[in-house]
Amino acid sequence: MERLQNRLNDLTEAGLYRRLRTMESASAPRVQVDGRTLVMCAANNYLGLADDDRIRTAAIAAVVRYGTGASGSRLITGTTELHLHLEAALATLKQAEAALVFNTGYMANLAALSSLVGAGDTIFSDELNHASIIDGCRQSKAAVVVYRHNDMDDLCQKLKDSPNSGQRLIVTDGVFSMDGDLANLPAIVDLAEAYDAWVMVDDAHATGVFGEHGAGTADYFGLPPSRVHIQVGTLSKAIAAEGGFIAGSSVLVDYLRNCARPFIFSTALSPPVIGAALCALDIIKEGRAERDRLHKLSHRLRSGLLDAGFVVVAGEAPIIPIILGDPERTLQYSRHLEDHGVFATAIRPPTVPPGTSRIRLTLMATHSDEDIEHILTACTKAGRELGVIS
Ligand code: PMP
């Protein structure tokens, strides 16, 4: 234990120690944290549905009908009609033949990568892909080739240089979780077709947020599902519940149902979670106005920060990172933000590369215009106090 304590001490010294914060209210534009009311700017509750009464009611109805726990894995006793309805609704959203629900988005990525490719195959993975993709690559036993972030020339060169045997799979976040930029999916799909590779996109942050139908990056770029073979998503962000999913062809989903260990060997998600997700999908179908509002607010915040002199990663997502570099300074900045009434977390290595610690601001469609002005004022005040901006 002394050895572990020493490592924890090292983390603290490097500004990389992590502690839990306790939320004392639902995820909403205003939250109670440690006795203070703050403007929430750190949740992935993009459409504000985690605090929606229609979804609460649906979750309660599912508990009343099916109970609190699924009591078994999906292939034993854990599949209710709700699970099947949810999978049908997800397939419809993604315009795919079928979909399969997993217990988390993390497990969906592990499931896809560990069961669809293996020894003799090659995965091409963007250097800024989410940790669950990295872990899935490690589990797969395939060769892993990491290409420079969103760099299509580098990806093309690496595809050219790879052996012409085994299955190739290109995997990318749709919206990069810590940067908020979008993958160049049209170019990835073209390269995949030229080099006979599968395309897997993790739309954890794009589902419900991007595209004409809120279906994610393929929808946003007008790419048909036949060109994006494996579409991963989570139910835990815009969908305001918990769980993950994979949408694709019927054969893909049938294979995963039979061979993906994270699907087979874990108890199914509980009925209230599934009931909540189903209700959220219904709302998202009609959610054009909320998506438009979310993008308008994101644009306002991003341009306000740029005008104030901050270094902000270019992008369109409701994820707006202010890069500060040093972890300790980033922590200090988040404390100052809290003192000015805004809750935004410091994101540090290993979540982001060393030297790129940042404050990750995230928005919800339910933030008011005044909330955005409040966030801008708080960021500017904290920025001046710490000499981040002049
Ligand atoms: N992929 C990405 C890009 C994510 O940001 C996350 C969550 N942070 C996940 C997958 C994992 O999803 P979940 O939280 O549902 O496990």
Side-chain angles (χ1 to χ4, degrees), residues 97-372:
E97 286 174 9
L100 192 65
V101 165
F102 295 81
N103 286 5
T104 61
Y106 191 107
M107 284 168 78
N109 277 329
L110 287 192
L113 293 161
S114 65
S115 64
L116 299 175
V117 283
D121 299 327
T122 309
I123 302 173
F124 299 83
S125 178
D126 188 290
E127 67 179 331
L128 293 189
N129 276 343
H130 188 257
S132 54
I133 293 179
I134 297 171
D135 294 355
C137 288
R138 289 177 182 154
Q139 273 199 11
S140 74
K141 302 193 177 70
V144 181
V145 176
V146 175
Y147 61 91
R148 282 198 295 272
H149 177 51
N150 239 343
D151 183 334
M152 295 300 109
D153 292 336
D154 192 39
L155 173 59
C156 180
Q157 191 57 49
K158 286 183 163 144
L159 282 161
K160 241 184 232 162
D161 293 346
S162 69
N164 197 8
S165 62
Q167 179 65 49
R168 293 181 176 122
L169 185 155
I170 305 172
V171 58
T172 182
D173 280 15
V175 167
F176 287 86
S177 56
M178 296 300 136
D179 291 76
D181 54 340
L182 270 83
N184 187 348
L185 203 54
I188 290 176
V189 162
D190 285 345
L191 282 173
E193 285 165 5
Y195 289 92
D196 200 17
W198 287 335
V199 175
M200 170 169 158
V201 61
D202 174 359
D203 261 345
H205 297 273
T207 305
V209 174
F210 279 99
E212 177 72 19
H213 309 95
T217 41
D219 183 17
Y220 175 80
F221 288 115
L223 295 166
S226 55
R227 301 187 70 195
V228 183
H229 311 90
I230 305 150
Q231 296 198 61
V232 178
T234 176
L235 305 174
S236 65
K237 303 188 195 303
I239 300 177
E242 187 188 7
F245 65 91
I246 298 175
S249 68
S250 309
V251 173
L252 173 85
V253 167
D254 202 17
Y255 182 85
L256 290 166
R257 206 184 281 123
N258 279 277
C259 302
R261 294 170 67 87
F263 177 80
I264 299 171
F265 296 108
S266 193
T267 297
L269 283 171
S270 66
V273 165
I274 301 291
L278 247 178
C279 178
L281 279 185
D282 257 353
I283 296 171
I284 285 172
K285 258 194 320 213
E286 311 298 330
R288 184 74 197 265
E290 286 73 17
R291 277 192 289 285
D292 287 349
R293 173 158 180 80
L294 179 63
H295 292 301
K296 190 180 136 231
L297 295 180
S298 308
H299 182 261
R300 166 74 194 117
L301 182 57
R302 194 175 262 110
S303 58
L305 290 169
L306 284 170
D307 289 347
F310 286 98
V311 178
V312 178
V313 179
E316 293 164 70
I319 301 170
I320 304 165
I322 301 179
I323 310 286
L324 295 163
D326 175 65
E328 190 54 57
R329 191 163 184 240
T330 310
L331 272 178
Q332 262 182 346
Y333 190 86
S334 75
R335 285 189 210 112
H336 280 238
L337 279 181
E338 274 188 42
D339 291 340
H340 295 303
V342 169
F343 186 75
T345 23
I347 307 286
R348 296 160 289 159
T351 308
V352 291
T356 71
S357 288
R358 65 198 65 187
I359 294 291
R360 176 178 178 267
L361 302 168
T362 51
L363 295 182
M364 340 181 180
T366 46
H367 274 122
S368 65
D369 293 348
E370 293 70 38
D371 289 335
I372 303 301

Side-chain angles (χ1 to χ4, degrees), residues 59 61-70 270-272:
V63 168
V64 170
R65 169 99 198 256
Y66 296 100
T68 50
S270 66

